[in-house]
Amino acid sequence: MALVVAQEVPTSSSMAVPHGPAGVGMARRRMREQLRGGGVAESVIDDAVLVLSELLSNACKHGRPLGDALAGDGDVRAAWRVDAAGRLVVEVTDGGGPTRPAPATPSVTAHGGRGLNIITALADDWGVRDDARGEVTVWVIVHDDVHDPDAGHRRDDFATRITAPAVSEIPGLDFADAFDDVG
């Protein structure tokens, strides 16, 4: 009698992505295909793909390419893995830039500045790691246990996680009182 032990192989990948918008779609497709093949829940994959897009966009907008390449000519590095603890971790590394990654508070009409706020809403945790060569890696734990049976169910829809409560749900606010003085 043979004993067969099933061992889940962690899903991981690392790829060079052109410093610019051209490689984002390629990285998204590769991530989606690989995570699906690894059995990661579709809702977790959707969040991870959006996180990857935001990280790559930020790296290309705010960071330099890796090495000595000029902006637009070099690469940044995208990586993701399901680690031994079952956490889905996404990382993007660039050549550094003049500012540190930090969530912004853009105006309502601003055309950008929401990327790290989106990541904060989707992620279980995120942070920034610098190395001695000046490279900067932004890492995100998209989901802290993709093997959890509930990992396939959205923690909440994205809109629910970032939307303010309905006015009717705000304690102490009663519109009927406001209309008592009208008339």
Side-chain angles (χ1 to χ4, degrees):
M1 177 158 117
L3 178 62
V4 177
V5 178
Q7 178 177 344
E8 188 156 337
V9 178
T11 302
S12 64
S13 190
S14 180
M15 64 187 293
V17 176
H19 186 268
V24 177
M26 181 176 63
R28 289 168 53 105
R29 282 187 295 279
R30 181 170 166 183
M31 173 187 259
R32 186 174 295 283
E33 179 181 298
Q34 189 171 18
L35 293 178
R36 273 186 183 148
V40 175
E42 203 63 35
S43 61
V44 175
I45 294 171
D46 289 345
D47 288 354
V49 168
L50 180 54
V51 165
L52 179 66
S53 295
E54 292 296 335
L55 290 177
L56 286 171
S57 296
N58 285 349
C60 292
K61 183 174 183 178
H62 303 290
R64 292 183 297 273
L66 295 169
D68 295 326
L70 299 173
D73 290 337
D75 296 321
V76 295
R77 187 171 43 255
W80 54 89
R81 69 185 179 283
V82 176
D83 67 12
R87 299 179 311 169
L88 175 55
V89 182
V90 177
E91 297 180 345
V92 170
T93 304
D94 62 42
T99 60
R100 295 282 295 154
T105 49
S107 71
V108 174
T109 58
H111 292 288
R114 294 173 183 81
L116 288 176
N117 292 319
I118 291 169
I119 288 170
T120 299
L122 292 174
D124 288 337
D125 197 9
W126 73 273
V128 181
R129 191 172 61 240
D130 298 292
D131 77 3
R133 296 174 304 229
E135 293 180 355
V136 174
T137 300
V138 180
W139 57 267
V140 178
I141 298 174
V142 177
H143 199 286
D144 64 7
D145 188 0
V146 298
H147 305 301
D148 179 349
D150 292 330
H153 305 287
R154 288 202 179 269
R155 295 178 297 269
D156 284 312
D157 286 313
F158 175 69
T160 304
R161 287 182 266 167
I162 63 167
T163 303
V167 173
S168 61
E169 295 176 12
I170 299 174
L173 185 61
D174 185 6
F175 279 108
D177 294 339
F179 291 109
D180 286 343
D181 297 333
V182 177

